[in-house]
Amino acid sequence: MNGTAGLTSWAAVPSAAQVAIPPPELRRWLPGNAGIPGVWSFEAERPGPHLAVTAIMHGNEFAGAVVLDRWLQAGIRPARGRLSLVFCNLDAFARFDRDDPTASRYVDEDMNRVWDRAVLEGPRRSCELRRARALRPVIDTVDLLVDLHSMPWASDALILTGETEKAGQFGMAIGVPPLVVADAGHLGGRRMIDYERFTDPATSSAGVLVEAGHHWEAATVIQMERAAAQALRHAGMARTDQPLPAEPTPPRPRMARVTRTVTARSRSFAFVREFRGGEVIAARNTLIAMDGEEEIRTPHDDCLLVMPTPFVHHGHTAVRLAQFVD
């Protein structure tokens, strides 16, 4: 197959019509109670772990902020240990425009690519780096992290764990959503779950990233709240007298490991047909995309497609290819 003839672009750019839930009103939560704007932290009398649930790492992904707003209004508190609810990229969220809903992902750079010690302690400056540096003191005390995200394209919900065994175990223990994917992150920089506190084998701290569904749907909010509630239960921090969603009975979670991260090397990357995230390609060596003249084929049987991106820019991740682990 030569060039990109016959290849498919299957998704429209997200538009105002897709914003099915309103952004939450966060003004009352901006001061925080932990000495850092947008950070709320509550400590129980009984000792226990520090669990943080973070939202709006990307300003247009506000479904997680809906969950945090709901929990703050409901007065959710931990039965033991410490619970922190963190609104991350407040400046980007403040710019959200329903008529251009993807434009507020960040102000200067992706905040979920700056969580490297050398970057955080280096001379570079940006709105997102300033905020990450401000949040670092609280993140440096977190034992369990649940970072809430959503997706612009059709995809099954999943939990991303990075490559550490402890994060994989944490993701499987949460089990909501039931697809857990271990991956190496992005070439463009470290995510919060890749921050050294969560990847250092000398610590027990672990972080997971929940990709809960489409950006602006009520079902995504429900999925996020269930995941966060399951993390609270797993940590032994849930109280029976508080309005958390009922413990679900989902399918047994499955773990997959990314075997290849496909990064667009040309400006003409295109998939051969419409793919949905979570789709499994049965046969090894199946053609799924063309990157200029390069064929992108599945490296093994039963290849899981993780968040294929129909409109991918040069140098960005187009899709991750993963293999299920028994």
Side-chain angles (χ1 to χ4, degrees):
M1 186 173 185
N2 296 320
T4 57
L7 301 187
T8 303
S9 179
W10 69 84
V13 174
S15 66
Q18 293 178 281
V19 184
I21 57 173
E25 174 51 67
L26 300 183
R27 277 181 293 183
R28 74 180 85 177
W29 310 127
L30 296 182
N33 73 341
I36 304 170
V39 177
W40 292 81
S41 199
F42 308 98
E43 192 161 3
E45 292 184 3
R46 292 172 53 204
H50 181 189
L51 169 67
V53 182
T54 56
I56 51 174
M57 181 71 74
H58 300 126
N60 62 317
E61 298 180 23
F62 59 73
V66 174
V67 174
L68 268 55
D69 175 51
R70 184 178 296 173
W71 280 24
L72 286 165
Q73 290 193 56
I76 299 297
R77 301 291 186 269
R80 69 185 190 112
R82 180 180 172 195
L83 173 65
S84 292
L85 306 177
V86 181
F87 301 98
C88 292
N89 200 337
L90 293 171
D91 287 342
F93 173 72
R95 299 183 177 201
F96 180 78
D97 180 354
R98 187 187 183 96
D99 292 327
D100 192 5
T102 61
S104 58
R105 180 175 171 86
Y106 53 79
V107 177
D108 294 322
E109 63 177 317
D110 191 329
M111 190 175 172
N112 216 26
R113 303 291 185 272
V114 302
W115 293 91
D116 178 88
R117 176 184 287 274
V119 174
L120 291 168
E121 297 179 357
R124 209 174 82 216
R125 296 183 180 182
S126 71
C127 176
E128 279 71 24
L129 262 173
R130 183 169 60 251
R131 179 60 173 165
R133 288 163 178 155
L135 293 178
R136 193 176 175 192
V138 68
I139 301 302
D140 277 337
T141 68
V142 170
D143 300 306
L144 298 170
L145 169 71
V146 179
D147 189 22
L148 301 177
H149 288 252
S150 54
M151 300 175 277
W153 317 114
S155 180
D156 295 346
L158 71 156
I159 298 173
L160 293 172
T161 69
E163 295 184 300
T164 66
E165 182 178 354
K166 58 185 177 178
Q169 292 173 347
F170 182 35
M172 292 289 282
I174 295 172
V176 182
L179 176 59
V180 181
V181 177
D183 73 327
H186 297 273
L187 292 176
R190 287 194 173 204
R191 303 164 297 191
M192 187 188 285
I193 65 168
D194 304 317
Y195 182 52
E196 67 178 8
R197 178 169 180 82
F198 306 117
T199 57
D200 185 348
T203 76
S204 59
S205 299
V208 299
L209 186 159
V210 178
E211 294 281 7
H214 191 271
H215 285 331
W216 310 294
E217 294 183 353
T220 301
V221 176
I222 292 170
Q223 185 81 273
M224 286 178 170
E225 186 169 20
R226 287 175 175 169
Q230 284 299 93
L232 205 62
R233 294 186 180 104
H234 168 68
M237 297 169 64
R239 287 173 38 176
T240 58
D241 62 338
Q242 296 190 137
L244 292 172
E247 188 166 2
T249 54
R252 181 180 178 182
R254 296 192 73 187
M255 167 72 78
R257 293 191 182 279
V258 171
T259 55
R260 181 184 177 188
T261 297
V262 178
T263 301
R265 300 181 184 280
S266 75
R267 301 188 184 279
S268 57
F269 185 100
F271 289 95
V272 299
R273 67 167 176 86
E274 176 179 346
F275 290 108
R276 178 183 176 87
E279 185 172 344
V280 176
I281 307 301
R284 176 184 177 276
N285 206 37
T286 299
L287 181 68
I288 60 170
M290 294 293 297
D291 192 357
E293 296 298 317
E294 179 189 358
E295 295 183 344
I296 307 299
R297 294 181 176 270
T298 53
H300 43 73
D301 292 342
D302 296 326
C303 184
L304 173 70
L305 304 187
V306 180
M307 296 189 294
T309 303
F311 297 106
V312 61
H313 298 291
H314 174 254
H316 289 251
T317 301
V319 63
R320 301 176 183 90
L321 308 178
Q323 188 170 34
F324 288 103
V325 180
D326 291 333

